[in-house]
Amino acid sequence: MKVNKALVGLSIAGALLLSGCANKGNSGDSKVKQVGVLQVVQHPSLDKAYDGFIEGLKESGYTEGKNLKINYQNAQNSQDNLKSMSEKLVNDKSDLLLGIATPAAQSLANTTTTIPTVVTAVTDLKAAKLVKSNEKPGGNITGTTDMGPIEQQIALLLSIVPNAKTIGLMYNAGEANSKIQADQAEKLLKKAGVKVLIKTANTTNDVQQVTETLAGSTDGIYVPTDNTFASAAAIVGKVVKEKKIPLVAGALDQVKTGGLATVGIDYKALGVQTGKMAAKILDGKAKPAEMAVENPKELQLYINKDMAKALGIDPTKIKQPK
Amino acid sequence: MTNIFELLLSTTSQGLLWSVMAIGVYLTFRILDIADMTAEGSFPLGAGIAAMCIVNKVNPVVATFAAFLGGMLAGLVTGLLNTKLKIPSLLAGIITMTGLYSVTSRVIGNAANISLLGKDTIFTEAQKWVMTRNNSVIVVGLLIALLVIGLLMLFFSTEIGLAMRATGDNPDMSAANGIKTENMKILGYMISNACIALSGALIAQNNGFADLNSGVGTIVIGLASIIIAEVLLKNQKIGLRLFTIVIGAILYRLILALVFEMNVQPSDAKLASALVLVVCLSLPNFRLHRNKKGGSDHATSLED
């Protein structure tokens, strides 16, 4: 057996050196609150939620660099890293944790049952087993959901195409959040008496094909808040513009680049809302177990005027149905 | 800074679970000389099967074993595509991996993510005997890794096992000697993916959820663990090699954990991981230069 001693020695020395580097700072006074953040992937909506979170904390008196230290970890879509990162944040003795999107939230939940945790951009906290009930979470976790106002969005779409026979639904079946929303949309559409045509895409490469198929055989399209379709919103927009099909999407940004209208969530505002919840916990004024999960407070009707013009629809005629 | 001791415990516990995956990858990558992409599909499949069983109140040990069988089936499909339909191995793996995405989605109830929070897992069962959470993961992980290695060592000393190794080393010669090389390949794919699915099942239970997208990049983890093992100790007999892969898997986790400790910019994290891989993969070259022996860089010596 030839043990390469030099190599082993080298790697151990390297490891010690690295850990030595990381040892700086962090030993500040007890007034500085330490918040650990775990995000699944870089993504416009999730990044905005994070920015909002920091802003919400600031508005409540916690400023980074002054009395707040943020330890931010992003798994860059490699889920194998979530566990290591969660354990790091927990071992670092964070005062509070933030989980952004479902897998990150679940990973934190599985790593600690004591450190107060807030989550955001999770569609259904109860289905993800993060809380016992949305009114009374019961554990160390609470937060905000990004469940879109699907009912209002579907009503909006049907008010734009009142005579629709068939409505298309498209999303990535690989995203838990999208699936939950799409199921609800399907139910609502069927209740309204329209036929529903569903197509799913696993990657942005399939988006154009799916959109073309649906645009060719439906009177209107609904897309829930979906990372894949949000990333490919530009191509979606191009296709529906050509085929003159009104599209309502779950997220504002999706509509800005590739849809007609929506009543949507502002992820920045959602983050601010989450930050304020976190501040209450840091203040010691509230405990996650008793804090009800909050729905997005700020909704807004957004109309893509260029798209409306291209479809020959008068934007002033689009109103948010009651 | 995370306490070094806690960091070591955490990386050891996870490394042990990942080592089962790395051993699976080793069987195809080194023994059969195939890069089998099925791994990225059989990993979430195993996670999904185990999670679904556990949610439906199946005993976690049985659930974990069910995942093992599921992985075997996945390997069988790739094996058949590769040998019977003559689809090139890389492509056959990718095809199965792609198809498995839908299969796994079906398995976990047409969803993308299934939560195990608060459910009894193989680790909570063990926790009743061995106090802390990390301890139970380490004990169970070690037991399973040892079991897998033990069974594989037994297998490779049988006639079939030896035939499989010969098939990987020289398919033409093996066929000429009456070995059914196609069957050997199929069997190799099956055992390999069974191990990978088993690892997926264990990691899902440790993480508290199974996710449809959790397979992304897993084959890299397997390969990195193998290469690190080969850098540390080269030309080992197969039994010892399997043990060193466990160490390789733990070291890879440790290196990644140290990268996270340094709080690299999130957008740079992937680059940091890539650099770690480059360093690991290129170390053997430096060593070859030094030894000037050239010769076989085949990492497993065949003599027993």
Side-chain angles (χ1 to χ4, degrees):
Chain A
M1 196 205 295
K2 264 184 260 164
V3 183
N4 202 324
K5 278 182 189 141
L7 257 173
V8 177
L10 205 72
S11 41
I12 291 173
L16 289 177
L17 202 74
L18 286 177
S19 51
C21 293
N23 212 357
K24 278 175 212 149
N26 209 21
S27 54
D29 52 332
S30 58
K31 271 185 192 163
V32 175
K33 296 285 187 186
Q34 189 160 312
V35 173
V37 181
L38 182 61
Q39 186 174 327
V40 176
V41 61
Q42 267 184 317
H43 175 278
S45 299
L46 301 184
D47 292 347
K48 270 187 200 158
Y50 171 68
D51 292 343
F53 177 78
I54 301 294
E55 204 175 295
L57 278 173
K58 200 172 179 185
E59 282 173 24
S60 315
Y62 290 97
T63 312
E64 215 184 333
K66 249 162 78 188
N67 56 351
L68 180 70
K69 186 174 178 294
I70 298 280
N71 193 345
Y72 177 84
Q73 299 276 320
N74 188 317
Q76 293 287 314
N77 218 14
S78 293
Q79 292 199 0
D80 64 284
N81 292 337
L82 288 176
K83 184 72 183 166
S84 306
M85 291 175 163
S86 305
E87 290 193 350
K88 173 185 159 46
L89 295 177
V90 169
N91 289 337
D92 279 352
K93 311 265 180 298
S94 304
D95 296 298
L96 181 123
L97 298 171
L98 168 71
I100 305 176
T102 308
Q106 284 170 328
S107 185
L108 288 176
N110 189 52
T111 311
T112 176
T113 50
T114 50
I115 300 177
T117 305
V118 290
V119 303
T120 189
V122 176
T123 302
D124 191 339
L125 277 79
K126 194 159 174 278
K129 303 267 165 60
L130 295 165
V131 295
K132 286 201 183 75
S133 86
N134 287 332
E135 293 71 36
K136 249 188 174 269
N140 62 322
I141 298 175
T142 186
T144 52
T145 90
D146 65 351
M147 177 72 92
I150 296 170
E151 225 170 316
Q152 281 106 308
Q153 288 169 352
I154 294 292
L156 177 70
L157 176 60
L158 291 176
S159 78
I160 296 168
V161 280
N163 301 320
K165 285 196 187 73
T166 314
I167 296 286
L169 267 181
M170 54 187 196
Y171 62 99
N172 177 355
E175 289 181 31
N177 287 346
S178 313
K179 170 79 184 147
I180 294 167
Q181 298 174 68
D183 286 349
Q184 201 183 333
E186 188 187 355
K187 229 183 264 168
L188 288 165
L189 284 167
K190 281 193 174 148
K191 221 168 108 189
V194 284
K195 223 179 117 203
V196 184
L197 204 61
I198 302 172
K199 292 262 179 257
T200 62
N202 288 340
T203 69
T204 47
N205 297 334
D206 305 332
V207 165
Q208 181 170 8
Q209 185 84 51
V210 165
T211 315
E212 273 173 4
T213 319
L214 275 191
S217 47
T218 55
D219 309 303
I221 296 179
Y222 178 74
V223 189
T225 313
D226 180 289
N227 292 324
T228 307
F229 279 88
S231 308
I235 187 75
V236 172
K238 210 178 129 224
V239 174
V240 294
K241 208 182 237 175
E242 263 168 30
K243 307 235 170 164
K244 296 206 186 305
I245 298 292
L247 182 143
V248 168
L252 268 178
D253 295 305
Q254 266 167 279
V255 174
K256 270 183 195 158
T257 25
L260 175 62
T262 190
V263 203
I265 298 169
D266 181 345
Y267 272 87
K268 183 89 181 275
L270 188 70
V272 172
Q273 208 177 325
T274 318
K276 287 185 175 160
M277 290 175 85
K280 270 188 209 152
I281 298 169
L282 288 175
D283 287 342
K285 283 182 191 148
K287 286 208 169 72
E290 323 262 284
M291 295 168 81
V293 172
E294 293 184 11
N295 289 313
K297 276 182 193 141
E298 285 181 38
L299 295 177
Q300 59 183 113
L301 173 69
Y302 175 81
I303 298 157
N304 183 338
K305 296 214 171 85
D306 291 338
M307 183 66 82
K309 209 188 269 170
L311 301 187
I313 295 173
D314 179 2
T316 57
K317 291 263 171 64
I318 300 177
K319 291 266 156 31
Q320 185 173 342
K322 287 276 136 35
Chain B
M1 170 60 194
T2 308
N3 180 322
I4 270 278
F5 182 67
E6 280 171 346
L7 189 79
L8 285 176
L9 269 186
S10 150
T11 47
T12 307
S13 65
Q14 286 175 66
L16 281 169
L17 305 185
W18 281 108
S19 71
V20 180
M21 154 104 198
I23 287 171
V25 173
Y26 179 78
L27 297 182
T28 41
F29 183 61
R30 281 294 189 227
I31 304 281
L32 289 178
D33 205 16
I34 291 166
D36 178 20
M37 294 297 291
T38 319
E40 301 211 343
S42 48
F43 183 85
L45 174 72
I49 291 177
M52 207 54 195
C53 288
I54 287 171
V55 166
N56 288 309
K57 303 207 165 57
V58 174
N59 179 297
V61 179
V62 179
T64 309
F65 188 67
F68 183 84
L69 295 181
M72 251 181 174
L73 279 180
L76 176 65
V77 174
T78 310
L80 290 175
L81 290 179
N82 180 213
T83 56
K84 303 297 177 205
L85 298 184
K86 309 287 179 219
I87 297 172
S89 57
L90 190 64
L91 218 47
I94 292 174
I95 290 169
T96 313
M97 175 188 88
T98 309
L100 281 177
Y101 194 88
S102 301
V103 175
T104 306
S105 175
R106 281 268 171 179
V107 165
I108 59 179
N110 273 333
N113 176 293
I114 175 167
S115 180
L116 288 172
L117 294 172
K119 295 271 186 273
D120 281 337
T121 66
I122 201 164
F123 303 113
T124 55
E125 291 288 302
Q127 237 173 315
K128 291 170 193 159
W129 288 287
V130 276
M131 302 303 280
T132 70
R133 166 99 205 159
N134 260 339
N135 280 353
S136 99
V137 178
I138 290 179
V139 170
V140 174
L142 194 61
L143 281 178
I144 292 180
L146 287 179
L147 186 70
V148 168
I149 292 173
L151 289 175
L152 283 176
M153 280 171 77
L154 276 179
F155 171 74
F156 280 119
S157 59
T158 63
E159 203 168 323
I160 300 176
L162 288 169
M164 185 186 290
R165 293 169 66 185
T167 303
D169 285 333
N170 192 335
D172 297 334
M173 180 90 92
S174 306
N177 280 304
I179 294 174
K180 293 200 168 71
T181 52
E182 288 194 346
N183 291 354
M184 288 304 129
K185 278 190 181 173
I186 295 173
L187 190 60
Y189 274 119
M190 288 173 74
I191 301 175
S192 161
N193 283 291
C195 289
I196 293 162
L198 172 64
S199 174
L202 294 174
I203 284 159
Q205 292 178 66
N206 188 31
N207 288 354
F209 65 94
D211 195 286
L212 195 49
N213 299 310
S214 62
V216 179
T218 45
I219 196 163
V220 175
I221 299 167
L223 293 177
S225 311
I226 295 168
I227 304 288
I228 293 174
E230 291 176 354
V231 170
L232 286 181
L233 289 164
K234 68 179 221 174
N235 282 335
Q236 294 308 316
K237 286 180 190 162
I238 195 154
L240 192 58
R241 170 58 70 227
L242 295 177
F243 279 108
T244 60
I245 290 174
V246 177
I247 296 168
I250 294 173
L251 278 179
Y252 183 60
R253 278 288 121 197
L254 182 64
I255 296 170
L256 278 186
L258 290 172
V259 170
F260 300 149
E261 280 295 333
M262 294 190 297
N263 288 327
V264 283
Q265 274 275 317
S267 44
D268 297 340
K270 283 265 175 185
L271 182 62
S273 314
L275 288 176
V276 168
L277 276 178
V278 170
V279 171
C280 295
L281 291 169
S282 60
L283 279 177
N285 294 335
F286 293 118
R287 199 190 45 203
L288 278 183
H289 279 295
R290 207 187 54 200
N291 291 350
K292 284 255 164 85
K293 262 195 254 165
S296 87
D297 53 348
H298 212 274
T300 316
S301 79
L302 256 179
E303 72 264 20
D304 252 86

